[in-house]
Amino acid sequence: KQEVTQIPAALSVPEGENLVLNCSFTDSAIYNLQWFRQDPGKGLTSLLLIQSSQREQTSGRLNASLDKSSGRSTLYIAASQPGDSATYLCAVEGGGADGLTFGKGTHLIIQP
Amino acid sequence: EPEVTQTPSHQVTQMGQEVILRCVPISNHLYFYWYRQILGQKVEFLVSFYNNEISEKSEIFDDQFSVERPDGSNFTLKIRSTKLEDSAMYFCASSRQGRAETQYFGPGTRLLVL
């Protein structure tokens, strides 16, 4: 059964820092990996989708990498801003599971 | 920019009552999904729907749940007889062509069963 783990569970950093969020998954037979942002009490906003054949994707200050064979992905956020404060969720599709399998998320606080 | 919408945003019901959660997926999308998130827990897959039938479903999606696309725009999740443990945020999502495509999520319906 696919399991997704995200480390750290929570992170608080000063504005302007570069940071890395980690995601690992147990079954490497995935179709893709998706990073989402969730604001309190709100829905999920898709940030980046990496296909299983890709190594990384970039969108603005965000860069996500995928190492499928080792079951790992990282989300790199450059020059963090207070508006980046949210919970970041990693989800994989495939690997013996139906639909997307989510991690529990990293709760990120950027201090002004 | 097109987005997935969901109604109602909040629903309070008594245990044993039926509820219907509504979603309007993005108009040119073909695959539709329901997920739920119990407070403090992970988002969990419930069901996927394509071409007017269920494509995949999880163990959570038992006989108390059903989905329907009653017209060309709406996608509904019905819980036949709600239980306390059905209290959760329910998210609808859609994607253009299914696997390996981005899933776009709606804002969710917060369901509270008393």
Side-chain angles (χ1 to χ4, degrees), chain A residues 61-79:
Chain A
R61 293 181 295 107
L62 305 179
N63 176 276
S65 67
L66 174 64
D67 183 343
K68 201 175 93 154
S69 61
S70 68
R72 294 182 184 181
S73 175
T74 60
L75 179 67
Y76 175 82
I77 302 176

Side-chain angles (χ1 to χ4, degrees), chain A residues 4 32 34 38 51 100 104, chain B residues 35 37 40 42 99-100 102:
Chain A
V4 178
N32 62 66
Q34 205 165 339
Q38 185 175 27
Q51 303 288 1
L100 290 173
K104 206 165 180 186
Chain B
Y35 293 82
Q37 185 177 32
K42 296 181 178 183
R99 282 213 173 120
T102 299

